[in-house]
Amino acid sequence: MAEVATFLVGVRQALTVKVRIEAWSQRSGQAPSPGQLEASLRSQCCLESKQWRPVNSRVTEDLIRRNAEHNDCVIFSLEELSLHQQEIERLEHIDKWCRDLKILYLQNNLIGKIENVSKLKKLEYLNLALNNIEKIENLEGCEVLTKLDLTVNFIGELSSVKSLTHNIHLKELFLMGNPCADFDGYRQFVVATLQQLKWLDGKEIDRSERIQALQNYSVIEQQIRDQEKAYHLRRAQEKEEALRKLAEHCENEGKKRRSSPGFDGLPYPDTHATPPSTLESKGHVQVPEIQEAHDTKRLNESEDDLEFWNKPSVFTPESRLETLRHMEKQRKEQEKLSEKKKGVKPPRTLITESGKALNVNEPKLDFFLKDDEKHNQIILDLAVYRYMDTSLIEVDVQPMYVRVMVKGKPFQLVLPAEVKPDSSSAKRSQTTGHLVISMPKVEEVITGSRRTPKSVKTTSDGSREQTHTSSKQIEKLEVDPSKHSFPDVTSIVQEKKHMSRRPETAPSEEASDFEDNPEVPPLI
């Protein structure tokens, strides 16, 4: 699947360049220059990516890990890496950290030299299109290199393709959009020099074409050398011109700083020029003056920006770097304006004024809360990032809530029971990287009162009479098994015995009008 994807990407890029060259030729009647072709391709890249990527001029471990998500962010076993449109200016560290690479995308950057890739013994496809490369070199160590893309660079030393003769497995090479592609005899020279090639600039090399190129090789080689000398002279002049423009630009910037007013666009204060009474009388016009000064500054900046883009420039590596610096300067100024508009973000409320803790998950992490009754503790499993440094995590356990700061973002959770902060522990899993916090719960002592037997009060006349307080007592659970929690059986039997005995009724002295009728049956 990787080979098919690589083939499709190469075909798509070659067809894109070919279609743009043909469309330009039909529209203007002549082939586009390398600068016009590069601008057209860059505009397409900007439309596809929707916006310019952030500037990252160095290859760092963090950058590689962020682009290795398909390999679980593991870089030592990485086989495919895409670092396109990262504005990298130098190749470094890749041959030490990713030695198993087979496919490497580095197109649309600012790389000026091919270096630090000779140790990639398994590299099969290298894409360095849309960079600032001026010479083909340091690729002899890539023993299994099959495809090399150097579209739209600044390669004017065509004889440097001889360094690729050691790459015996090289089958495809793209050099369109380079100054050397405009040399007379360019294709014949490359075909004759690299006899292992099968495709050049997306076009297959026939056997007859190679035979003809080999026959005329000595004549073509001399032509290429003469054209290279002329290119080197022109290139030296372009470098001198670029240095002169850079010096003029620095001098103009220095003059602007010296002649410009204060840092906020206002004139520097002169305490000896105007008395205080005059300043007080003019106090009502100070705000309009500030606004007018800021408007003038913005107008001057927009005019400078328009002048920069309308100024004609030669397509050189220096002009590309100058464009990058200008865009970076604009981006920083825009960020400063946006930061001033946004203002300071208020801190998130974690505890209300009444002292109630709130549930907060600002880092948006998955978590699992478990109540371990067996060990009488509460366990929180927080899914922090696997490769994040532990020093970026802070844990604070309180009796009723737990708070975890992950890279400055709070995670707070209210606990279902009171815990012991002093006995709590936190550790990270070696397999998943999750943060596991164990919080023992406060010991709850369950006490129960021993049940007292019901007291039965018997009178001499045999009437049953029980105390109502004993019947109202509630039987409670006894935790200690040594204590008896059974009812008094003897009292129950005695109670039933008294209840079954029929009391003898005798006429009360108070009831003097009582008459005993023998015909009335006794009450049961």
Side-chain angles (χ1 to χ4, degrees):
M1 292 298 293
E3 295 178 356
V4 174
T6 304
F7 174 75
L8 292 176
V9 169
V11 170
R12 178 180 179 272
Q13 189 172 19
L15 291 176
T16 302
V17 175
K18 183 178 179 182
V19 168
R20 288 184 175 272
I21 292 175
E22 292 177 353
W24 194 290
S25 302
Q26 292 176 1
R27 188 166 61 249
S28 60
Q30 57 182 0
S33 64
Q36 293 168 338
L37 181 59
E38 193 266 351
S40 178
L41 290 173
R42 183 173 287 280
S43 64
Q44 180 192 3
C45 293
C46 291
L47 289 175
E48 289 179 354
S49 61
K50 301 299 181 185
Q51 59 181 1
W52 223 209
R53 297 288 182 89
V55 173
N56 195 331
S57 58
R58 297 181 64 88
V59 178
T60 60
E61 183 179 352
D62 180 63
L63 176 64
I64 296 178
R65 287 195 187 278
R66 282 191 280 110
N67 289 274
E69 295 179 352
H70 58 284
N71 198 42
D72 294 333
C73 296
V74 179
I75 63 175
F76 70 90
S77 62
L78 200 60
E79 295 186 354
E80 181 176 346
L81 179 61
S82 178
L83 297 176
H84 64 285
Q85 295 185 12
Q86 298 291 339
E87 307 204 359
I88 300 169
E89 297 184 9
R90 185 185 176 189
L91 278 177
E92 51 188 353
H93 306 309
I94 297 178
D95 58 336
K96 299 177 183 178
W97 297 339
C98 313
R99 294 201 173 186
D100 291 338
L101 275 180
K102 294 182 179 179
I103 301 173
L104 180 57
Y105 297 101
L106 291 167
Q107 68 270 24
N108 205 355
N109 284 292
L110 298 168
I111 301 170
K113 183 179 179 181
I114 304 175
E115 56 185 345
N116 298 324
V117 292
S118 58
K119 295 181 181 179
L120 302 177
K121 303 298 182 180
K122 300 180 182 180
L123 189 63
E124 299 176 2
Y125 176 34
L126 177 61
N127 192 331
L128 285 166
L130 292 166
N131 279 282
N132 294 348
I133 298 171
E134 300 188 49
K135 183 180 179 181
I136 303 174
E137 56 186 342
N138 300 325
L139 291 173
E140 297 85 356
C142 303
E143 300 173 354
V144 295
L145 186 63
T146 306
K147 183 178 178 180
L148 177 61
D149 194 342
L150 294 168
T151 305
V152 190
N153 276 275
F154 298 92
I155 300 173
E157 190 176 340
L158 186 57
S159 58
S160 61
V161 298
K162 293 180 180 180
S163 63
L164 297 176
T165 54
H166 302 285
N167 303 96
I168 58 176
H169 298 284
L170 185 63
K171 303 300 179 185
E172 295 182 64
L173 178 63
F174 292 89
L175 288 173
M176 63 179 69
N178 286 276
C180 65
D182 297 332
F183 291 175
D184 294 334
Y186 146 74
R187 185 175 177 86
Q188 293 88 339
F189 179 79
V190 177
V191 170
T193 304
L194 304 177
Q195 300 185 23
Q196 73 272 28
L197 275 185
K198 300 295 182 183
W199 296 78
L200 178 60
D201 294 337
K203 184 179 179 182
E204 189 176 3
I205 301 173
D206 299 332
R207 184 181 178 184
S208 58
E209 183 182 5
R210 175 165 280 117
I211 293 173
Q212 186 178 359
L214 289 171
Q215 291 175 350
N216 302 326
Y217 181 72
S218 58
V219 179
I220 295 172
E221 186 180 13
Q222 186 61 38
Q223 292 179 356
I224 295 298
R225 287 180 179 177
D226 295 340
Q227 295 177 81
E228 282 182 352
K229 289 180 181 179
Y231 173 77
H232 286 316
L233 291 174
R234 187 170 68 253
R235 183 77 185 97
Q237 294 176 359
E238 290 175 354
K239 288 182 179 179
E240 291 179 0
E241 183 69 16
L243 290 174
R244 184 183 63 81
K245 288 184 178 180
L246 181 61
E248 289 181 357
H249 178 71
C250 293
E251 186 178 355
N252 293 334
E253 288 291 328
K255 288 181 179 179
K256 286 182 180 179
R257 289 194 188 97
R258 289 191 295 270
S259 61
S260 63
F263 68 95
D264 54 352
L266 297 176
Y268 289 109
D270 189 359
T271 55
H272 302 285
T274 309
S277 59
T278 309
L279 292 176
E280 291 177 1
S281 62
K282 295 183 179 180
H284 63 281
V285 296
Q286 286 183 356
V287 174
E289 286 179 358
I290 296 173
Q291 187 65 31
E292 184 179 353
H294 282 293
D295 293 342
T296 305
K297 185 178 179 181
R298 290 180 184 176
L299 182 61
N300 294 335
E301 289 177 354
S302 61
E303 290 179 355
D304 293 342
D305 183 61
L306 188 62
E307 180 184 355
F308 176 83
W309 291 112
N310 291 334
K311 180 179 62 176
S313 62
V314 185
F315 178 58
T316 60
E318 291 79 15
S319 65
R320 288 193 66 194
L321 290 173
E322 184 183 3
T323 304
L324 170 68
R325 301 293 178 259
H326 183 77
M327 294 174 64
E328 179 65 12
K329 181 181 177 182
Q330 283 185 324
R331 186 182 65 82
K332 288 182 178 179
E333 291 177 355
Q334 195 68 25
E335 287 181 353
K336 288 181 180 179
L337 291 175
S338 60
E339 286 178 0
K340 289 180 180 178
K341 291 180 180 179
K342 287 181 180 178
V344 181
K345 185 179 179 181
R348 183 180 289 273
T349 304
L350 300 178
I351 299 177
T352 60
E353 296 179 356
S354 60
K356 180 181 178 182
L358 302 178
N359 292 328
V360 178
N361 189 1
E362 189 170 328
K364 299 180 180 179
L365 300 174
D366 295 333
F367 66 93
F368 178 73
L369 189 66
K370 178 183 177 182
D371 191 354
D372 189 0
E373 297 181 354
K374 183 177 180 181
H375 299 89
N376 194 30
Q377 63 180 356
I378 297 175
I379 300 175
L380 173 63
D381 188 340
L382 188 61
V384 298
Y385 311 113
R386 184 174 182 179
Y387 294 101
M388 191 176 67
D389 196 337
T390 309
S391 61
L392 300 175
I393 305 174
E394 298 180 5
V395 181
D396 181 18
V397 179
Q398 297 295 331
M400 295 307 298
Y401 67 90
V402 58
R403 181 186 302 165
V404 182
M405 301 296 292
V406 182
K407 296 178 69 173
K409 297 182 178 180
F411 172 89
Q412 183 170 288
L413 187 64
V414 179
L415 302 175
E418 187 177 356
V419 299
K420 298 179 179 179
D422 297 339
S423 303
S424 302
S425 63
K427 60 182 180 180
R428 293 190 68 180
S429 173
Q430 295 182 354
T431 55
T432 62
H434 288 196
L435 179 67
V436 181
I437 305 175
S438 302
M439 299 166 283
K441 293 191 290 186
V442 176
E443 296 179 0
E444 298 179 358
V445 180
I446 305 175
T447 58
S449 59
R450 183 175 180 180
R451 184 182 182 276
T452 56
K454 293 181 180 180
S455 60
V456 180
K457 186 178 180 180
T458 57
T459 57
S460 58
D461 55 359
S463 63
R464 61 181 186 276
E465 198 174 310
Q466 300 179 358
T467 58
H468 296 285
T469 57
S470 62
S471 61
K472 292 182 181 179
Q473 290 180 356
I474 301 174
E475 183 180 358
K476 296 184 179 180
L477 176 63
E478 292 287 347
V479 176
D480 191 357
S482 63
K483 297 181 179 180
H484 298 286
S485 60
F486 303 102
D488 192 352
V489 182
T490 58
S491 300
I492 296 174
V493 173
Q494 184 180 0
E495 181 182 353
K496 290 184 178 181
K497 182 178 179 181
H498 283 283
M499 289 175 62
S500 61
R501 184 183 302 173
R502 181 181 176 184
E504 297 178 359
T505 58
S508 177
E509 296 177 355
E510 297 177 357
S512 58
D513 58 345
F514 175 76
E515 295 181 1
D516 188 9
N517 190 355
E519 296 181 359
V520 177
L523 296 176
I524 298 175

